Every structure is written in C-alpha cells, then in structure tokens.
RNA sequence: GGGCGAGUGGCGGAAUUGGUAGACGCGUUGGUCUUAGGAACCAAUAGUGCAAGCUGUGAAGGUUCGAGUCCUUUCUCGCCUACCA
C-alpha cells in the first residue's frame, strides 16, 4: 500500500474535471435548478483564507445539491474595477488592465487548486468591455426611466484617493480605503434613485425567509423608515424668512416647543455668509461633527439667530431659532422643533442655553403635577398641559390624533421619512466603467447613443495626474455626435454598480446583445444560495436588490424583484497576532513555539508577545497564505480543516495544529480505505451479514444529510471522524464483502462534497466512477430493536437499560423492580406516578 | 445611546419536538514501539471522592415528572450602528 499522495491525486482529478467539463451547466427543464453563488473576489493578487472558506462552503453545497439531483449553476468571476489597480499601476508604472489580468490568472490558478466545482466557461470580469458595455446600456435604460439624475451635492471627498465616497464608504469620518479624514465638497454627481424604492426595499425584506435575520435588521435600520409629520413654522425677524419646515415623529409634544434648530447648511444659512461669528461656529461644527469622541460626548452647541418661530398651535408662543450642530442637513428638512422635556438631545441643548423645559407627557403612574427634571421623558404616558391634546394616550393615540389636528388646521402633513439616500455613483477615477454621457457647450446633458456603446476606457494613459486621469485625455474626451461637438462625462461608475448585476450576467455570460437573456434568467434566477461576508450586509446587498427592482421598473418582461433567495454570511478567518520586543508585527511564519514560549524562528533568546486572535490582515501580518498551505497539505486537507473547527457563520481560528491533524486524518483514512478494499475483494460474501454496519450507515446518512441542509458543516466533519472511528473498529470483525462494499460506497459519497479529490480516488481505486446520486437512508434500518431506556427515579438518572423497543410501561416497571441497578430505589417505596416516554425513558416518582 | 447575537471542560465546539450534557477535534497525561521523537498506535481526560455517590451548561429565581434548551430578572462579552428629529 502506498501513502496517500495528495499531490498526484489532486492534480489528476483537477485535470480530469477540467477536461471532462463536468461542472459546466446548461438549462435543463426536466431538472430543478440550483443557483449557488459566492461573492466574487476582487483580484488583488492572491487568494486569502477568507476566499478559501467562502468558496469551500459554496463548493460543498454545490456538490451536495448536484448529487441530490439539482441542475447546479456554480459560476465564478472577478470584481475587477477599482482603485487598488489604479494605485498599483501608478506605483509600478503598469497598466491597470495588465495588473488586473495578471492577478486574475494567478488567482484563478490558485482557486483551481482548491478543487472547486466551478463552471469556468461562465467566467466574467467586470473590467472587460464585454461586461461593462451592458452596464452602460443599463445605465441609459435607467436614465430613460427617470432613475438616474445629476445634481450638485455636497459629497464626501477623500483627499488621499482624490475621489468621492458614498456615505457608506465613510467610516468614523474616514475613507474606508485610504483612512484619510473625509472632507466636504460640492460637486456635480450622478445619482441612482434608490430612494424611490425605499418602501419596497423595506417591505420585501419580509419575503427573504432564507436570509439571516441580522442582515435584514441591518438593512431595515439603514433604510430607516419613520412615521411622522411635517410641520411648517411661521417665523418673525429681520430676515426675509417667512417659514421653516420641520419633520417630527412626535407632533404630540408640540406644546412643549421651546426652540427651533436648523442645520448649519440649512438654506437660511445663506443670510449668514457675511457673519463672522456664524462662520466660526460653522467651522466648529464641521470639526467635531463626525469624530467618535464628539459623538460620544455628544456636546450640543448652537448659534442663536434673531429669528423667532411661532408655535402653530399657540400663536402667542414665540421661541428662538438656532443653528445647531446636532441637526443633519440630509435628514428630513434639516430642521427640528425642540421639545426638551421629551427628547434627550433637545433637553441637553435647552439646559445649555437655559431654554424652557415644559412637560407635556406624564408617565401613566404619575399625576398631572409631573415635571421632567434630570432627563427627558420619552416613554409612554398621557398628554398633559396641551389644551385639546390633553389626556391622549402616548404614543398610540397621541401621535395619530395630533397629526389629524395639524392637517385639519393646515399646518402639518402626515409624512413618512426614510433615512436611505439616493446612491451617488460618480467616481473621479480612471479604472472604472465610463458613464455613457456627454455635455454640449452649454453643459446640457446628452446620453451617448446606444449604437455608440461601449464607451471604451482609453488605454496607455498617464495615471500621474491630480484627480481623474480621464480629465486629461482630450482626444478621448472630445467627441462628435451627429456632427455636433460634445465633451464626455469623465466620471466612472462606483464599482458597486458592477457587482449589482453580475449574478444576472452569469446566466448568459456570452450574450453579445444584452446583459442577459430572458430565457436564461427565467430558468436560473433567483440565486438560490448566496454566500459571502457579512461586511456586505448593507452596501452590496442593498444595491443588488435595488438593481433588480430598477430593471423591473416599467418593464413587464422582467419578473424578478429579489436577486438572492437565500443568503449565508460566513465568519472570518482569524489568527493570533505576534509582536517582537520592539512592537513590530511578526508573521506566524517567523515565529515558533518551543513547548513553553514563543520566539522568533532560529533566535533562542528572542521574546515574542502573543496578541489576541484577530481577523487575518496584512497590516497585522497574521496572514497564512493558502497557496503554501495547499502545497504542503493538499486541498482536501485544507477544506477539511477550514470547515471543521467552527460553525461556518462564526469566526474560525486558524490553527497549524488543526491543519496538521486534518492532513494526518486523510492519511489514516487512506490506510483504512486499503483495509476496506482488501476486505471487499477478499472476504467471503457468505460471512454473516453485518447489521451493525448497515444500521450505522443509515444513521450517518441521516445525520450528514441533515447537517448539510442546515449548514452545520463543522458537524459534518465530526461525522466523518465518527465514521472513521466506527469503521476502523468494525473492519476487525467479520463482514460480508458485498455488504461492506454497498455501505462503503454510500459512505464515500457522503464524504465527497467535503473532500472530493480523496473520494474520487477511492472510488476509482475500487473500480467505480464518481457517484451520481446521494444515498437515501433506509428508514427500516433506523428503527432499533433494542432501545437504551433512560431510567430516572424522581427525575434523576439512575440507570440505562437495554430493552426491547416495544416494551410497555408495566413490563418495564416490573423489570426495574428486580433490576439490581434500580431495585434499591424502589424497594419499600410507594410509586406515586410514572412518566413513560416510549423508546426513550421512564421516570418513576416515589415517596422518599 | 440604539439594535442584534452569544455565554457549555484547559481550548474550538456537539446536543430533533424540553428527555443519557460534553459528540468530534485540539491540547494534556499514562503506556506500547523505537537510538530518539515534535512519528505511529493504545488508553484516560468536566469537577470532586477509594467508592457508591454528589456537584455541574455566566448568576438568581420560576414553569415542569424532567430545563443547556421555555419564562422573568441580572451580569459579562462580541458584532453592527450612531446626534435620523
């Protein structure tokens, strides 16, 4: 017998799979389809462990579904536009296209070494003309439908990357990629009208039963629907301002009105452009606006104007109008009415500026003299001190009733407000999909005629420019359409646009006329299982959902509203972090453990500080390169390990020891395989039938099938170990070769989604080709003749008794009275009650 | 501040509808074989006790014949989010 040589075996099967094209998929109306999609990678250069985990999970699922009989679509592509390519190209004097394509081919080879069941014929790359030309067409279609518009807007400007960031790309006031502090800048930008679908995006979440609740909640919060009322306040003062509109969810507290606050960007701020004090205040606000500490401390500051706002319910009440730092321009109307007694922010503000705090809601248990003192009261209760609103129940009655009254008096309107903002898609970068628009000499927008698509990215250009390189390419920028001169739009699309429809492209990857074919998507869509990191819970997933709805808008031929039927978010791969004496990060490859402490490799005197396990990242150097690991241990061993240690939705700790254990396990499994093979071919078929083995096989079929269906992939690996432990013992007993063969083939099939190269080799070694169907448990064999009855006396386990499965309560009780384990608990005692759960347990309650 | 989730051996983690807590792996300990072993194999491994037993799923209560699982209160940790009116 040979050692199991994974190098030869894995290479052999990967080639066979490739040559026989067994993973390529075609429409087959006689079979139910299953579309399994993992989030496609950004071609950064090399795959990382996160990819290994993500794609292994998807591969196990795809292989399983295919064995169960589904027609599986399992494609892969590249999210290939984006800034890293441009940055790398600039630094190394390369073309972003070359850099990207080189990375793609490296990573493709790496992925192939994992033995993934991917239909590579459908490979797509978002930076190819073949892909983005369709995207440009979609953009024009959305433009025609009124879902694309251009407006001047304050944008988040990343001074390092010299580009605009979406709100979602600003984290703690810093650019998500560069980490630079984001500035505010006014620019003309292209927007997609995602807000038009706010309600639908929210309500359709309920349809997504196979999505993690966590993700749905995050999207719900992001969309941020709130129900309330817009109120128009009349103003008095020395400015030409007659009224200010506010949005509120608490119109019932209007009698507690004591100030009105507007954002520093509110339109009335234009009257303060010459006011130095105000400009100083505005600067102050922008400084503290977004930093974490500022929000944590939450200091409220304001700038008092000479304007007074009139309470629309009580014209005698006039309150000051402030600019305030806690009012956001891009929510509601950028103005709020302040009711200090029942809003903590307003309360803090009122305390600071010594404004009235008038209590208008009392908790149920308090009397009418109740006064808000140390903090705002925001709970339920009864309206007081509010004339005709008095005695209404807060919040059930009071809010609706007060809206009605405001509507009657024509001072307010019922309003639903969303937090979700339109999606700014303009990026001032070269390496992206060009926006197919142009401007005439007056700046008027004209879409590029569809027949002139694609708008190709120019090649071999100078990237060493400040801002967008495309701005400097005159012969690309200046065009003629129908004899008229135009200047192209030089912004490119946010790369999230590319990933918002790629799942459709996989259905018709080679179609030249359109992004997808109707007959293809009608068969394959929606994605049955989408798998990826939870970090895309909001951005990518929300944009993709929007894109489906936008394509279907005013289009009866497009019947889908949700792209991803099932979603699974896998956890991250973590590793301990190491630092040397000088607090420099060390790579795990440079660290060794001598049994008691960690040190630098080959340096006995050195000390290494071990830090907490954190998600693998280059900056902390705690990365393990998958390619090396695959080279050393083989793909199946890596797959086995990455699945084994934690539930796939949770973070997993990378462990070298665990990795080695998985590798050794396959070696042991191979030794066992050879024993089994020997027995299959050499033992007499007349040996007594082995009931144990058949029973076990049927049990394990059930277990593994259930665990696969429920994503308990870590438990599947435990099940595989269980099988090994069982067979390794059972093989020593006499077994009929026929029975052994039948059961072993089933077992190998159960293993095959997780360790496909190994099982393929085993099948071949026994003279079989790979299985084509998943085994079914024989339920008859799952019924045990003998049951381990748990015997409890007064609820305490006292014995386990092997008994016939059909034994009744009385016979069992009789046996227990004479059984030496249990008789002493029953002797001389009265049995008050017995609880008998058939085939499981008996609980006898006795007097002590 | 708000939302979501999780607390089980030395560690990662198992545990249909409430019904044998600790599957499986790592680590550790002892042994076998070895010149040696950081290899392989065998055995043990929740705590405590010589044992029968007792105690054990963050803590405290509750429901139940029976609770890791259900309910109430509470503590700790993680993740997300953030002045959203």
């Amino acid at each position: 017998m040979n050692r199991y040589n994974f190098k030869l075996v894995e290479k052999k099967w990967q080639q066979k799979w490739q040559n026989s094209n067994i993973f390529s998929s075609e429409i087959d109306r006689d079979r139910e389809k299953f579309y399994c999609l993992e989030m496609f990678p950004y071609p950064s250069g090399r795959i990382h462990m996160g990819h290994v985990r993500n794609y292994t999970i998807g591969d196990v699922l795809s292989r399983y579904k295919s064995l169960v009989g589904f027609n599986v679509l399992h494609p892969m592509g590249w999210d290939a536009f984006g800034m890293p390519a441009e940055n790398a190209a600039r630094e190394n004097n390369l073309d972003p296209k070359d850099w990207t394509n080189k990375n793609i081919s490296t990573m493709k080879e790496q992925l192939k070494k994992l033995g993934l069941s991917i239909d590579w014929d459908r490979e797509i790359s978002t930076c190819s003309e073949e892909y983005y030309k369709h995207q440009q067409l979609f953009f024009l279609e959305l433009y025609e439908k009124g879902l694309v518009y251009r407006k001047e807007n304050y944008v988040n400007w990343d001074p390092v990357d010299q580009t605009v960031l979406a709100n979602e790309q600003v984290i703690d006031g810093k650019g998500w990629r560069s980490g630079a502090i984001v500035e505010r800048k006014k620019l003309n930008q292209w927007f997609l009208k995602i807000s038009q679908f706010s309600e639908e995006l929210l309500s359709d979440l309920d349809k997504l039963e196979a999505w993690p609740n966590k993700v749905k909640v995050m999207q719900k919060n992001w969309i941020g629907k709130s129900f309330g009322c817009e109120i128009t306040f009349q103003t008095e003062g020395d400015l030409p301002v007659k009224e200010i509109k506010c949005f509120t969810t608490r119109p019932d507290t209007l009698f507690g009105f004591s100030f009105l606050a507007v954002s520093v960007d509110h339109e009335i701020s234009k009257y303060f452009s010459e006011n130095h004090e105000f400009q100083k205040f505005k600067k102050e606000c922008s400084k503290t606006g977004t930093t974490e500490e500022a929000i944590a401390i939450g200091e409220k500051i304001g700038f008092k104007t000479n304007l007074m706002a009139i309470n629309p319910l009580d014209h005698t009440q006039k309150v000051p109008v402030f600019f305030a730092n806690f009012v956001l321009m891009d929510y509601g109307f950028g103005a709020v009415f302040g009711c200090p007694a029942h809003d903590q922010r307003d309360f803090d503000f009122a305390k600071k500026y010594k404004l009235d705090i008038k209590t208008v809601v009392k908790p149920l248990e308090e009397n009418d003299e109740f006064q808000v003192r140390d903090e705002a009261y925001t709970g339920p209760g009864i309206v007081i001190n509010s004339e005709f609103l008095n005695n209404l129940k807060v919040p059930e009655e009071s809010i609706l009733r007060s809206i009605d009254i405001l509507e009657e008096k024509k001072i307010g309107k019922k309003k639903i407000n969303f937090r979700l903002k339109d999606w700014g898609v303009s990026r001032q970068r070269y390496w992206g999909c060009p926006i197919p628009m142009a401007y005439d000499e007056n700046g008027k927008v004209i879409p590029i005629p569809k027949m002139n698509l694609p708008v190709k990215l120019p090649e071999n250009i100078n990237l060493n420019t400040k801002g967008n390189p495309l701005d400097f390419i005159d012969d690309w920028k200046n065009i003629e359409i129908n004899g008229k001169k135009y200047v192209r739009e030089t912004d490119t699309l946010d790369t999230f646009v590319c990933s918002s429809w790629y799942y459709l492209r996989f259905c018709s990857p080679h179609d030249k006329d359109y992004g997808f074919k109707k007959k293809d998507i009608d068969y394959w869509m929606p994605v049955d299982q989408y798998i990826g990191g939870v970090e895309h819970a909001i951005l990518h997933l929300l944009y993709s959902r929007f894109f489906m709805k936008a394509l279907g808008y005013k289009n009866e031929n497009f019947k889908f509203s949700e792209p991803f039927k099932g979603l699974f978010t896998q956890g991250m791969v973590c590793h301990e972090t190491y630092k040397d004496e000088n607090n420099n990060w060390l790579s795990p490859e440079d660290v060794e453990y001598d049994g008691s402490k960690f040190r630098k490799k080959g340096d006995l005197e050195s000390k290494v500080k071990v830090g907490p396990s954190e998600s693998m990242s280059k900056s902390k150097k705690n990365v393990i390169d998958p390619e090396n690991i695959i080279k050393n241990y083989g793909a199946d061993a890596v797959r086995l390990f990455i699945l084994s240690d934690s539930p796939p939705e949770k973070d997993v700790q990378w462990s070298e020891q665990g990795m080695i254990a998985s590798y050794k396990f396959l070696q042991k499994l191979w030794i066992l395989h050879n024993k089994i093979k020997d027995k299959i071919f050499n033992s007499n078929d007349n040996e007594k039938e082995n009931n144990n083995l058949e029973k076990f096989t049927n049990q394990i079929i059930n277990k593994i099938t259930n665990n696969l269906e429920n994503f308990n992939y870590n438990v599947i690996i435990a099940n595989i170990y269980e099988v090994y432990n069982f067979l390794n013992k059972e093989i020593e007993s006499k077994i009929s070769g026929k029975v052994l063969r039948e059961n072993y083939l089933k077992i190998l099939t159960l293993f095959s989604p997780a360790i496909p190269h190994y099982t393929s080799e085993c099948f071949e070694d026994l003279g079989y080709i790979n299985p084509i169907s998943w085994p079914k448990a024989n339920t008859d064999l799952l019924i045990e003749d003998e049951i381990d009855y748990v015997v409890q006396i007064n609820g305490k386990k006292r014995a386990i008794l092997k008994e016939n499965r059909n034994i009744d309560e009385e016979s069992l009780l009789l046996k227990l009275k004479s059984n030496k384990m249990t008789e002493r608990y029953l002797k001389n005692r009265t049995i008050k009650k017995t609880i008998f759960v058939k085939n499981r347990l008996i609980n006898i309650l006795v007097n002590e």
Side-chain angles (χ1 to χ4, degrees), chain A residues 641-686:
Chain A
F641 172 70
I642 204 82
L643 292 171
S644 71
D645 256 25
S646 292
E649 70 276 12
K650 290 193 15 185
D651 288 354
V652 65
Q653 257 272 39
W654 182 267
S655 128
E656 185 83 11
Q657 269 157 339
M659 184 58 248
I660 292 169
S662 296
Y663 167 78
K664 286 180 184 169
F665 175 70
L666 284 180
Q667 296 292 343
K668 295 198 314 195
L669 205 53
W670 182 248
I671 294 168
L672 174 64
H673 166 80
N674 279 278
K675 288 188 199 165
I676 291 172
K677 180 184 173 188
D678 182 60
K679 214 144 195 176
I680 285 176
F681 290 113
N682 298 321
S683 82
N684 187 341
D685 278 357
N686 295 326

Side-chain angles (χ1 to χ4, degrees), chain A residues 594-825:
Chain A
D594 68 358
S596 62
K597 69 177 183 64
F598 285 87
R599 64 185 183 215
K600 279 195 206 170
K601 238 174 215 171
D603 182 353
L604 299 179
E605 298 306 307
S606 61
K607 277 188 195 138
V608 168
K609 282 184 275 186
V610 180
S613 181
E614 293 183 65
S615 109
M616 289 187 182
S617 80
K618 278 181 193 158
S619 61
K620 288 174 185 139
K621 288 200 177 174
N622 60 340
V623 273
I624 301 288
D625 181 36
E627 194 173 344
N628 276 336
I629 297 284
I630 295 170
K631 204 166 93 195
N632 291 338
Y633 301 108
D636 280 341
V638 174
R639 295 166 63 114
L640 201 57
F641 172 70
I642 204 82
L643 292 171
S644 71
D645 256 25
S646 292
E649 70 276 12
K650 290 193 15 185
D651 288 354
V652 65
Q653 257 272 39
W654 182 267
S655 128
E656 185 83 11
Q657 269 157 339
M659 184 58 248
I660 292 169
S662 296
Y663 167 78
K664 286 180 184 169
F665 175 70
L666 284 180
Q667 296 292 343
K668 295 198 314 195
L669 205 53
W670 182 248
I671 294 168
L672 174 64
H673 166 80
N674 279 278
K675 288 188 199 165
I676 291 172
K677 180 184 173 188
D678 182 60
K679 214 144 195 176
I680 285 176
F681 290 113
N682 298 321
S683 82
N684 187 341
D685 278 357
N686 295 326
E687 300 270 15
K688 91 172 191 317
E689 304 264 316
N690 188 316
N691 257 331
N692 266 350
L693 175 59
E694 290 200 281
K695 250 187 231 166
F696 179 83
T697 306
N698 281 284
Q699 278 166 4
I700 209 76
I701 288 171
N702 260 5
K703 277 194 193 174
I704 290 185
T705 307
N706 279 336
N707 287 327
L708 275 164
E709 292 289 344
N710 295 306
F711 279 105
N712 299 328
Y713 291 177
N714 56 325
V715 189
I716 287 170
I717 306 307
N719 294 147
I720 292 177
Y721 277 93
E722 260 181 79
V723 173
Y724 170 84
N725 292 340
F726 176 84
L727 283 181
N728 204 35
K729 278 214 180 73
E730 203 62 19
I731 197 71
E732 304 300 330
S733 62
K734 292 196 168 178
I735 304 179
S736 137
K738 180 166 159 274
V739 172
L740 182 59
R741 188 183 64 228
E742 277 169 12
N743 288 283
Y744 184 55
L745 291 176
K746 286 181 188 168
I747 284 169
L748 283 176
T749 309
L750 298 177
F751 289 7
S752 67
I755 43 175
H757 310 87
Y758 171 83
T759 51
S760 296
E761 186 69 10
C762 292
F763 278 115
E764 191 187 64
D765 191 43
L766 295 173
Y768 291 87
I769 53 161
N770 271 303
I772 51 162
S773 69
W774 192 250
K776 278 213 171 67
N778 177 348
T779 43
D780 291 347
L781 285 170
L782 287 174
I783 300 167
E784 300 269 3
D785 296 332
E786 299 238 290
I787 302 287
D788 285 334
Y789 266 95
V790 176
V791 181
Q792 296 180 341
I793 315 282
N794 287 342
K796 282 206 165 154
K797 186 184 85 179
R798 292 300 180 186
I800 292 167
L801 228 59
K802 253 201 177 7
E803 274 306 332
N804 190 293
R805 59 183 286 265
N806 286 320
I807 194 165
D808 59 37
E809 188 175 338
E810 276 168 39
S811 337
L812 184 59
L813 204 52
L814 211 63
K815 284 197 171 182
L816 290 174
K817 283 180 178 163
S818 57
N819 182 289
K820 68 172 185 221
M821 294 287 289
T822 48
E823 63 170 345
R824 61 203 169 103
Y825 294 103

Side-chain angles (χ1 to χ4, degrees), chain A residues 206-346:
Chain A
D206 293 337
K207 291 186 194 164
L208 302 172
E209 284 168 25
W211 275 42
N213 200 44
K214 176 174 65 167
V215 175
K216 289 195 272 189
V217 169
M218 283 164 79
Q219 292 215 353
K220 192 177 162 209
N221 291 340
W222 191 261
I223 295 167
K225 179 179 181 175
S226 49
F227 174 80
C229 177
E230 70 174 70
I231 302 175
T232 307
F233 291 84
Q234 307 298 322
T235 54
E236 285 178 358
D238 50 6
L239 294 176
V241 178
K242 289 277 162 289
E243 53 183 48
I244 295 174
K245 266 187 189 171
C246 295
F247 172 74
T248 179
T249 55
R250 291 302 302 276
D252 54 339
T253 61
L254 196 45
F255 280 99
F257 184 42
S258 74
F259 65 95
L260 195 146
V262 301
S263 159
V264 291
D265 295 319
H266 193 272
E267 59 168 348
I268 71 165
S269 70
K270 67 185 176 209
Y271 304 113
F272 294 81
S273 54
E274 303 296 312
N275 184 327
H276 289 297
E277 284 301 306
F278 174 71
Q279 293 306 329
K280 228 173 95 187
F281 172 75
K282 192 171 167 180
K283 239 183 209 147
E284 187 81 4
C285 290
S286 69
K287 243 195 281 172
T288 55
T290 46
T291 64
E292 265 178 289
E293 313 93 272
I295 292 166
I297 300 163
E299 205 203 343
K300 312 282 181 283
I301 51 173
F303 180 90
K304 196 171 168 192
T305 69
N306 291 326
L307 282 177
M308 297 298 276
I310 301 163
N311 189 336
L313 295 180
D314 173 3
H315 289 228
T316 63
Q317 193 197 7
K318 294 175 185 177
V319 303
V321 175
F322 284 82
F323 288 102
N325 66 336
F326 63 93
V327 182
L328 306 172
M329 192 53 224
D330 58 2
Y331 186 79
F333 298 100
V336 299
F337 91 78
C339 173
H342 306 290
D343 181 291
Q344 191 57 43
R345 285 161 311 179
D346 296 349

Side-chain angles (χ1 to χ4, degrees), chain A residues 183-219:
Chain A
E183 296 168 0
R184 284 160 52 76
K185 198 170 168 178
K186 224 170 189 182
L187 271 184
N188 256 314
Q189 301 281 298
W190 287 100
F191 284 84
L192 298 188
K193 247 189 199 168
I194 188 171
S195 68
Q196 184 171 325
F197 298 86
S198 299
E199 187 68 59
E200 218 180 320
L201 285 166
L202 179 69
S203 59
D204 281 358
L205 284 172
D206 293 337
K207 291 186 194 164
L208 302 172
E209 284 168 25
W211 275 42
N213 200 44
K214 176 174 65 167
V215 175
K216 289 195 272 189
V217 169
M218 283 164 79
Q219 292 215 353

